[in-house]
């Protein structure tokens, strides 16, 4: 069913959008759950810019080591800062870094992979060798090395996480383009006068992008964990920030002494975000392509 | 060159390098063929799978680069064209592909598919394109309601009609038809053939029709060229070839096809064995190992195409008057053989870009 036929039967814009959502974005139930969770967390990230229950940077907004209660939902830490406010503030760091890094890796990796697959020859050789070199290193180790070298900062983390993610997108895009390159519509596209760049953009990439979108979502769950890992080991984000991994690191010692909530809630947030991304990717994979 | 020759293929050769058990082997897909298509004419190129017939079309369309030899379209060399000029060539030469399921971009509507050549080749205005797209659709027997359909919403026959409309969009002089009916239902096949004939009558387009469907050949083709393992073994006007198939391979091909007449048993001309691999081809005639009338010399010398009748050429000396008549001194036979003088290699053709 295409958009136009739906539009004909829909009196208002709201009804039109509703039908559009129902028909075009109908996924598996788990995929919708993932979308809702990511949506809520993104909303929380935006809200945290303007409002949090307490100032996340302030100390002594309550008693130290206070267990979760009505006034401090996630409890307080050893300096009396509100964990709920901190977790909220961390949302924009973790969600923001994850989405930005995945976006950059997606665009750069897909572009390079498409070019390598399409042109072959030395372009392919250079690009493929470079990815192989990068993939020879364990990803976390490579990310830690580069972050340690370039120093802390949100943008540094975004770029480093994006760079270590590029090879996977590149290989996937390269393989997709390579398989579509011999399809007859590609040859037909050449014969109706498409330039190579236009052929890639209009014919090959649109037909290769779905597995990449599915992968990017699954990859996002993994990137969430990578960002938190970097924060946990104290690389990347400034120490003492509200980044979830860094918060776990600060609360780690208190788990044995009974103050589990300091590390638990940021950890739960990481889990929820990673799982939500994974469910979306899984849903896209399962749904496949209708046409 | 006579002026009504539209497509002139000369000594076209295509070799692929394949890796076979660790060493690189040379696979000869086309072994130096000559071919002509006149304006408004349908030439059928027939042969079994692997005979190189599709590769011929793909070499002409420059979807693959020929190893040597070349093709001329209306006197212009197709070889050695850079991209800009190649794109201009596609304004005169189009192709209809075998599989309509994969020759249409699944992410473009019929409108977008037909619009594209108009934008890229003809640079028409938006309003003109809309009119033209509707005309094209009508010309291939589809309605305006199909404009906004996606390929997956069309039947196989409808898809192939869209493929034909796309080829017609730029008003080409020659369309290469690469088994356009092979993947269609028999019921739809006839309609598509009818459409192709009708289009040819209306627009005077020449077809190079690649197929293994002999019934279709008999119906649509003016001339037939039979290929076996990269070489032309027989060519002539359709009636000649069907009435007097001369080459043993053609005979086998024609008598192997079932006839519509019930109860009529034809004497089948049978070949033994399988065709040899196109890697490391045998010397001499490619059919020699399977041929019941092969002579000693067939195994050592390549049989030249010899005229057996006006317009009718056969590459089989035992059938066409013996080796002496087919001696290389008179390569293409008598005065009625190809009248085209040999042209020099692609690069020296005056029409070729410097």
């Amino acid at each position: 069913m295409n958009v136009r036929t739906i539009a004909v039967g829909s009196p208002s814009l709201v009804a039109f959008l509703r039908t559009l959502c129902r028909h075009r974005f109908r996924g598996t139930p788990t995929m919708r759950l993932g979308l809702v969770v990511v949506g809520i967390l993104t909303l929380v990230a935006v809200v945290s810019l303007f409002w949090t229950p307490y100032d996340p940077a302030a100390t002594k907004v309550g008693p130290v080591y206070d267990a979760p209660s009505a006034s401090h939902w996630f409890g307080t830490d050893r300096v009396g800062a509100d964990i709920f406010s901190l977790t909220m503030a961390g949302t924009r760091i973790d969600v923001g870094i994850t989405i930005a890094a995945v976006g950059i890796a997606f665009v750069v990796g897909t572009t390079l992979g498409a070019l390598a697959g399409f042109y072959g020859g030395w372009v392919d050789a250079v690009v493929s060798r470079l990815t192989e070199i990068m993939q020879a290193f364990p990803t976390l180790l490579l990310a830690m090395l580069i972050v340690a070298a370039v120093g802390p900062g949100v943008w540094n983390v975004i770029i480093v996480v994006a760079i270590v993610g590029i090879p996977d997108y590149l290989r996937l895009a390269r393989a997709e383009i390579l398989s579509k390159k011999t399809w007859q519509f590609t040859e037909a596209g050449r014969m109706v006068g498409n330039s190579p760049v236009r052929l890639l953009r209009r014919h090959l990439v649109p037909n290769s992008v779905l597995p990449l979108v599915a992968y990017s979502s699954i990859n996002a769950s993994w990137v969430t964990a990578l960002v938190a890992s970097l924060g946990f080991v104290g690389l990347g984000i400034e120490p003492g920030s509200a980044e979830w991994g860094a918060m776990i690191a600060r609360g780690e010692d208190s788990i044995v002494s009974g103050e589990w909530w300091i590390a638990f809630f940021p950890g739960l947030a990481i889990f929820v975000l990673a799982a939500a991304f994974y469910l979306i990717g899984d849903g896209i994979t399962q749904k496949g392509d209708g046409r | 060159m006579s002026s009504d020759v539209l497509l002139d293929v000369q000594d076209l050769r295509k070799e692929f390098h394949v890796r076979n058990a660790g060493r690189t082997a040379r696979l000869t897909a086309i072994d130096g063929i000559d071919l002509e298509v006149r304006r408004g004419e349908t030439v059928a190129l027939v042969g079994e799978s692997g005979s190189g017939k599709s590769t011929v079309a793909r070499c002409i369309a420059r979807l693959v680069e020929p190893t040597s030899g070349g093709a001329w379209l209306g006197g212009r060399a197709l070889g050695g064209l850079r991209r800009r000029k190649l794109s201009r060539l596609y304004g005169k030469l189009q192709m209809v592909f075998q599989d309509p399921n994969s020759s249409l971009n699944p992410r473009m509507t019929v409108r977008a598919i037909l619009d594209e050549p108009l934008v890229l080749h003809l640079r028409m205005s938006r309003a003109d394109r809309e009119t033209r797209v509707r005309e094209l659709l009508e010309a291939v027997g589809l309605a305006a309601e199909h404009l906004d359909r996606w390929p997956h919403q069309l039947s196989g026959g409808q898809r192939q009609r869209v493929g034909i409309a796309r080829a017609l969009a730029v008003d080409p002089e020659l369309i290469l038809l690469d088994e356009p009916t092979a993947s269609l239902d028999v019921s739809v096949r006839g309609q598509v053939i009818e459409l192709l004939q009708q289009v040819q009558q209306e627009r005077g387009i020449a077809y190079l029709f690649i197929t293994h469907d002999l019934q279709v050949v008999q119906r649509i083709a003016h001339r037939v060229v039979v290929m076996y393992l990269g070489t032309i073994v027989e060519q002539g006007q359709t009636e000649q070839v069907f009435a007097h198939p001369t080459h043993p391979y053609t005979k086998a091909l024609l008598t192997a096809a079932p006839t519509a007449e019930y109860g009529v048993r034809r004497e089948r001309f049978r070949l033994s064995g399988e065709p040899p691999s196109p890697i490391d081809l045998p010397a001499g005639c490619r059919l020699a190992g399977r041929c019941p009338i092969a002579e000693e010399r067939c195994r050592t010398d390549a049989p030249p195409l010899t005229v057996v009748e006006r317009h009718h050429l056969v590459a089989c000396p035992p059938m066409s008057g013996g080796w002496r008549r087919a001696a290389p001194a008179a390569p293409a036979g008598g005065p009625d053989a190809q009248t085209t003088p040999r042209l020099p290699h692609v690069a020296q053709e005056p029409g070729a870009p410097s």
Side-chain angles (χ1 to χ4, degrees):
Chain A
M1 170 162 282
N2 69 29
V3 180
R4 219 162 131 265
T5 49
I6 300 165
V8 170
S10 307
S12 72
L13 184 68
V14 178
F16 167 67
L17 287 176
R18 195 178 296 147
T19 9
L20 190 73
C21 289
R22 206 176 297 150
H23 284 284
R24 295 302 293 269
F25 303 121
R26 183 173 52 193
T28 60
T30 49
M31 177 182 162
R32 271 176 292 176
L33 176 68
L35 280 169
V36 166
V37 170
V38 170
I40 289 172
L41 284 174
T42 311
L43 200 67
V44 168
V46 173
V47 168
S48 76
L49 288 169
F50 309 105
W51 177 84
T52 47
Y54 300 89
D55 179 1
T59 55
K60 295 182 180 150
V61 295
V64 298
Y65 290 131
D66 195 16
S69 63
S71 52
H72 298 285
W73 291 356
F74 289 180
T76 61
D77 63 9
R78 66 182 167 86
V79 289
D82 182 51
I83 300 289
F84 184 72
S85 302
L86 275 166
T87 308
M88 263 184 89
T91 311
R92 66 172 181 256
I93 300 177
D94 284 73
V95 173
I97 291 178
T98 301
I99 290 176
V102 167
I104 292 170
F106 182 91
V107 172
V108 176
T110 304
T111 309
L112 288 177
L115 291 174
F118 186 70
Y119 285 103
W122 66 267
V123 181
D124 187 28
V126 169
V127 167
S128 297
R129 290 302 90 72
L130 283 175
T131 48
E132 276 162 23
I133 291 170
M134 281 180 69
Q135 291 197 314
F137 290 91
T139 314
L140 180 59
L141 189 69
L142 185 64
M144 282 168 62
L145 278 171
I146 308 178
V147 171
V150 297
V154 169
W155 274 104
N156 283 354
V157 173
I158 289 175
I159 290 177
V160 166
V161 173
I163 286 174
V164 300
I166 285 173
D168 286 328
Y169 289 94
L170 198 152
R171 282 159 51 109
L172 197 56
R174 178 178 170 275
E176 280 291 318
I177 296 287
L178 213 53
S179 74
K180 299 288 190 303
K181 197 166 78 166
T182 53
W183 279 37
Q184 286 178 353
F185 71 76
T186 314
E187 298 189 331
R190 271 168 73 180
M191 292 205 69
V192 298
N194 283 286
S195 66
V197 173
R198 203 186 129 98
L199 194 63
L200 259 179
R201 214 188 56 218
R202 295 254 312 172
H203 293 270
L204 287 168
V205 171
N207 282 291
S208 311
V209 88
L210 192 94
L212 282 154
V213 172
Y215 174 75
S216 70
S217 187
I218 290 173
N219 178 239
S221 79
W222 201 83
V223 164
T224 304
L226 178 62
V227 171
S229 308
L230 287 175
F232 183 79
V233 296
L235 285 166
I237 318 293
E238 297 80 4
S241 76
E243 199 284 319
W244 291 339
M247 289 169 67
I248 297 180
R250 291 199 296 277
E252 185 191 22
D253 295 340
S254 315
I255 296 173
V256 255
S257 51
E259 293 86 19
W260 52 272
W261 55 87
I262 305 174
F264 175 79
F265 287 106
L268 183 69
I270 294 169
F271 167 75
V272 168
L273 181 62
F277 277 130
Y278 188 87
L279 289 179
I280 297 171
D282 191 50
I284 300 172
T285 315
Q286 272 181 33
K287 194 187 161 206
D289 193 6
R291 50 166 195 271
Chain B
M1 186 189 299
S2 55
S3 63
D4 66 341
V5 173
L6 178 62
L7 176 76
D8 186 14
V9 176
Q10 293 199 1
D11 199 25
L12 189 71
R13 186 178 297 275
K14 177 65 189 176
E15 289 161 357
F16 293 102
H17 292 276
V18 289
R19 209 157 282 169
N20 191 12
R23 70 192 176 95
T24 316
R26 199 172 56 188
L27 184 153
T28 310
I30 313 172
D31 195 10
I33 67 159
D34 298 319
L35 195 68
E36 272 181 14
V37 181
R38 297 189 183 83
R39 285 183 195 279
E41 182 188 40
T42 302
V43 174
L45 194 55
V46 298
E48 62 197 17
S49 322
S51 61
K53 53 193 197 304
S54 284
T55 313
V56 171
R58 293 161 54 81
C59 279
I60 293 168
R62 289 281 305 273
L63 293 171
V64 293
E65 288 297 319
T67 307
S68 69
W72 286 260
L73 184 72
R76 291 179 56 90
L78 302 184
L81 289 180
R82 304 294 291 172
R83 193 169 64 70
R84 183 80 49 80
K85 294 210 170 146
L86 191 63
S87 152
R88 219 173 297 156
L89 148 78
Y90 289 148
K92 294 188 171 173
L93 169 70
Q94 281 291 317
M95 189 155 168
V96 174
F97 293 85
Q98 177 176 0
D99 182 4
N101 304 318
S102 81
S103 71
L104 303 180
N105 184 339
R107 303 210 166 262
M108 285 168 84
T109 60
V110 172
R111 184 197 300 275
I113 289 168
L114 297 182
D115 200 43
E116 199 170 30
L118 302 178
V119 176
L120 296 173
H121 275 300
L122 306 177
R123 312 201 178 283
M124 294 165 91
S125 74
R126 184 178 294 262
D128 287 351
R129 294 203 311 260
E130 180 68 26
T131 322
R132 180 97 172 114
V133 166
R134 284 169 191 273
E135 273 171 24
L136 286 167
L137 219 50
E138 202 180 318
V140 297
L142 293 175
E145 66 181 76
H146 296 110
L147 269 180
D148 294 303
R149 300 264 174 90
W150 300 93
H152 72 102
Q153 294 169 317
L154 300 174
S155 70
Q158 287 172 330
R159 280 178 219 169
Q160 197 57 296
R161 283 169 193 269
V162 174
I164 293 168
R166 173 175 60 191
L168 292 176
V170 295
D171 257 333
E173 295 174 358
L174 173 69
I175 299 185
L176 307 170
L177 301 155
D178 187 5
E179 309 207 29
T181 55
S183 55
L184 300 178
D185 283 351
V186 181
S187 55
V188 184
R189 204 169 285 181
Q191 295 170 13
V192 170
I193 294 296
E194 228 160 79
L195 170 66
L196 287 169
Q197 276 179 311
Q198 182 199 331
V199 164
Q200 185 172 48
Q201 273 160 20
E202 284 167 9
R203 302 170 189 236
I205 301 171
Y207 293 147
L208 181 61
F209 198 106
I210 288 149
T211 184
H212 52 246
D213 186 339
L214 294 168
Q215 276 178 304
V216 170
V217 173
Q218 214 166 359
R219 215 171 126 187
I220 195 171
H222 302 116
R223 288 199 300 128
V224 182
V225 175
V226 183
M227 276 186 83
Y228 179 70
L229 278 173
T231 54
I232 292 177
V233 295
E234 181 161 0
Q235 68 179 66
Q237 286 173 340
T238 309
E239 314 84 66
Q240 292 176 324
V241 174
F242 276 84
H244 308 290
T246 307
H247 195 281
Y249 178 71
T250 317
K251 282 187 181 175
L253 199 66
L254 292 186
T255 54
T259 46
E261 294 154 88
Y262 179 76
V264 176
R265 280 186 173 266
R266 286 175 309 177
E267 197 183 334
R268 279 193 62 182
F269 188 94
R270 286 174 192 275
L271 297 172
S272 53
E274 291 287 313
S277 158
I279 301 168
D280 306 325
L281 277 168
C285 179
R286 274 91 206 267
L287 199 65
R290 306 170 64 193
C291 180
I293 60 161
E295 298 171 358
E296 202 45 54
R297 207 172 155 187
C298 292
R299 299 179 204 282
T300 52
D301 292 1
L305 273 171
T306 312
V307 175
V308 292
E309 199 185 338
R310 196 179 149 84
H311 303 305
H312 192 175
L313 284 80
V314 176
C316 182
M319 292 300 292
S320 62
W323 280 91
R324 192 176 305 163
R325 193 172 166 261
D336 288 324
Q338 292 162 307
T339 48
T340 326
R342 294 278 123 174
L343 284 171
H345 189 259
V346 184
Q348 291 156 25
E349 161 73 359
S354 50

